[in-house]
């Protein structure tokens, strides 16, 4: 208590000055419209900045929840986008007939400088992820799930020489097999396209929809080079991918809801 008294006595002149200043400001605020407006603006600015600061702190500690909400919304939007591509001619039945479930995931490891590359994501069996399911990104396909644990999954990357993807020309539906030769991460080959089909530089290539992994119509890339052998019935076609697989952070696992029925039919046909 004695220390407080000593401090007050020590700074009495400064405290007296501050007290008079506050009284004068209060008096001006009450008597002058100009000063009322001036102090009101200052008060609004200070309170706004303090509110933004406090809201920033709240938002920082809420980031995890916000990110989870955004991921769920992105999953719904991606499902709607794929369903729209799948059912352009029957928009009223978009969700009824679309047979894929969307699950978002984050890439934790990505290789792209080998001839056979793999990607690891932070979702696994506990999240409903199974092998032989397709994986896409916001601008193309990424690969196919080939191994799972409880909390993680391994993806056979599109940049894997042993992976072949069913693809087609958007303009006429001509089908082929898309694969990587192990060179540039955006350069692909499209094989088995018959020379009976007209093709041109710049043609858009999309998923063909004839596999269990991907629905029809996901954009893949564009034709960059065409060669027509004289004595063969198939083009030699180079494709430039739209997607850059060396810069991916988030992906979507798409599970075919009808896979069991399709496998059953395939087994019946093979008997």
């Amino acid at each position: 208590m004695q220390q407080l008294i000593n401090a007050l006595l020590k700074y009495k002149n400064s405290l007296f000055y501050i007290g008079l200043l506050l009284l004068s400001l209060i008096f001006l605020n009450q008597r002058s419209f100009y000063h009322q407006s001036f102090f009101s603006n200052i008060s609004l600015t200070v309170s706004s900045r303090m509110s933004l600061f406090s809201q920033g702190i709240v938002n920082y500690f809420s980031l995890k929840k916000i990110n989870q909400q955004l991921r769920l919304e992105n999953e719904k939007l991606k499902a709607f986008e794929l369903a729209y591509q799948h059912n352009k001619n029957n928009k009223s039945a978009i969700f009824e007939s679309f047979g894929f479930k969307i699950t978002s995931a984050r890439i934790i490891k990505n290789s792209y400088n080998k001839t056979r590359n793999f990607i690891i994501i932070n979702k696994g069996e506990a999240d409903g992820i199974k092998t032989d399911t397709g994986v896409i990104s916001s601008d193309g396909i990424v690969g196919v799930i080939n191994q799972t644990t409880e909390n993680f999954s391994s993806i056979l990357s599109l940049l894997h020489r042993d992976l072949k993807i069913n693809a087609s020309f958007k303009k006429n539906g001509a089908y082929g097999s898309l694969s990587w030769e192990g060179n540039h991460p955006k350069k692909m080959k499209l094989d088995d396209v018959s020379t009976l089909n007209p093709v041109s530089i710049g043609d858009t290539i999309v998923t063909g929809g004839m596999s269990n992994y991907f629905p029809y119509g996901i954009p893949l890339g564009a034709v960059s080079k065409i060669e027509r052998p004289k004595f063969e019935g198939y083009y030699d076609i180079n494709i430039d991918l739209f997607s850059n697989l060396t810069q991916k952070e988030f992906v979507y696992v798409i599970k075919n809801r009808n896979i069991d029925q399709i496998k059953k039919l395939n087994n019946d046909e093979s008997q």
Side-chain angles (χ1 to χ4, degrees), residues 28-39:
L28 286 173
N29 183 58
Q30 293 178 345
R31 297 290 182 174
S32 170
F33 177 79
Y34 169 78
H35 288 92
Q36 283 181 358
S37 177
F38 177 77
F39 290 130

Side-chain angles (χ1 to χ4, degrees), residues 22-55:
L22 290 175
L23 287 174
S24 62
L25 291 176
I26 292 172
F27 179 79
L28 286 173
N29 183 58
Q30 293 178 345
R31 297 290 182 174
S32 170
F33 177 79
Y34 169 78
H35 288 92
Q36 283 181 358
S37 177
F38 177 77
F39 290 130
S40 177
N41 289 337
I42 292 178
S43 175
L44 179 60
T45 301
V46 172
S47 62
S48 298
R49 291 185 180 276
M50 290 183 66
S51 296
L52 286 174
F53 179 75
S54 61
Q55 187 63 42

Side-chain angles (χ1 to χ4, degrees), residues 106-112 117-121 135 141-147 153-159 245 248 251:
R106 186 183 189 123
I107 293 175
I108 59 175
K109 185 177 181 181
N110 182 11
S111 67
Y112 45 81
N117 293 290
F118 293 87
I119 299 170
I120 297 177
I121 58 176
V135 183
I141 69 175
V142 174
V144 176
I145 300 288
N146 74 311
Q147 188 176 358
S153 298
S154 173
I155 301 171
L156 199 68
S157 174
L158 185 61
L159 305 182
L245 293 174
K248 296 300 175 189
V251 295

Side-chain angles (χ1 to χ4, degrees), residues 12-252:
K12 61 180 181 180
N13 292 333
S14 298
L15 293 173
F16 183 70
Y17 171 77
I18 293 173
L20 291 176
L21 178 62
L22 290 175
L23 287 174
S24 62
L25 291 176
I26 292 172
F27 179 79
L28 286 173
N29 183 58
Q30 293 178 345
R31 297 290 182 174
S32 170
F33 177 79
Y34 169 78
H35 288 92
Q36 283 181 358
S37 177
F38 177 77
F39 290 130
S40 177
N41 289 337
I42 292 178
S43 175
L44 179 60
T45 301
V46 172
S47 62
S48 298
R49 291 185 180 276
M50 290 183 66
S51 296
L52 286 174
F53 179 75
S54 61
Q55 187 63 42
I57 295 176
V58 173
N59 289 341
Y60 177 80
F61 288 104
S62 301
L63 283 178
K64 184 176 181 179
K65 181 178 180 181
I66 293 172
N67 287 337
Q68 178 63 21
Q69 292 174 343
L70 289 174
R71 283 196 295 269
L72 293 175
E73 290 178 5
N74 286 338
E75 289 176 10
K76 293 178 181 178
L77 290 172
K78 178 54 67 174
F80 183 83
E81 177 188 353
L82 294 177
Y84 179 78
Q85 292 293 335
H86 190 67
N87 299 280
K88 277 187 175 180
N89 297 325
N90 187 16
K91 296 179 182 179
S92 63
I94 282 180
F95 284 107
E96 287 78 1
S97 60
F98 183 65
F100 288 83
K101 176 185 177 183
I102 309 295
T103 303
S104 62
R106 186 183 189 123
I107 293 175
I108 59 175
K109 185 177 181 181
N110 182 11
S111 67
Y112 45 81
N113 56 358
K114 304 174 184 177
T115 56
R116 292 174 173 83
N117 293 290
F118 293 87
I119 299 170
I120 297 177
I121 58 176
N122 66 343
K123 294 290 179 68
E125 296 169 3
D127 305 288
I129 306 300
K130 295 183 178 180
T131 57
D132 295 329
T133 52
V135 183
I136 65 175
S137 65
S138 59
D139 58 358
I141 69 175
V142 174
V144 176
I145 300 288
N146 74 311
Q147 188 176 358
T148 60
T149 64
E150 183 177 1
N151 298 308
F152 302 96
S153 298
S154 173
I155 301 171
L156 199 68
S157 174
L158 185 61
L159 305 182
H160 193 295
R161 294 192 64 176
D162 298 334
L163 182 63
K164 295 183 181 295
I165 301 297
N166 173 250
S168 71
F169 281 79
K170 184 177 180 180
K171 70 178 184 180
N172 57 21
Y175 289 98
S177 180
L178 188 74
S179 62
W180 188 55
E181 292 191 322
N183 300 316
H184 194 282
K186 292 198 73 172
K187 305 292 184 180
M188 307 289 288
K189 294 287 290 185
L190 185 63
D191 300 316
D192 305 326
V193 178
S194 172
T195 53
L196 295 174
N197 300 293
V199 299
S200 306
I201 301 294
D203 284 348
T204 297
I205 306 302
V206 299
T207 52
M210 291 190 179
S211 72
N212 299 332
Y213 306 134
F214 307 102
Y216 172 80
I218 299 176
L220 297 174
V223 175
S224 59
K225 182 181 178 182
I226 303 172
E227 292 184 2
R228 182 170 181 165
K230 293 183 180 180
F231 304 106
E232 294 183 17
Y234 299 95
Y235 291 105
D236 185 5
I237 302 175
N238 291 348
I239 304 296
D240 284 351
L241 288 179
F242 294 138
S243 180
N244 183 356
L245 293 174
T246 69
Q247 294 181 344
K248 296 300 175 189
E249 184 176 1
F250 296 99
V251 295
Y252 300 94

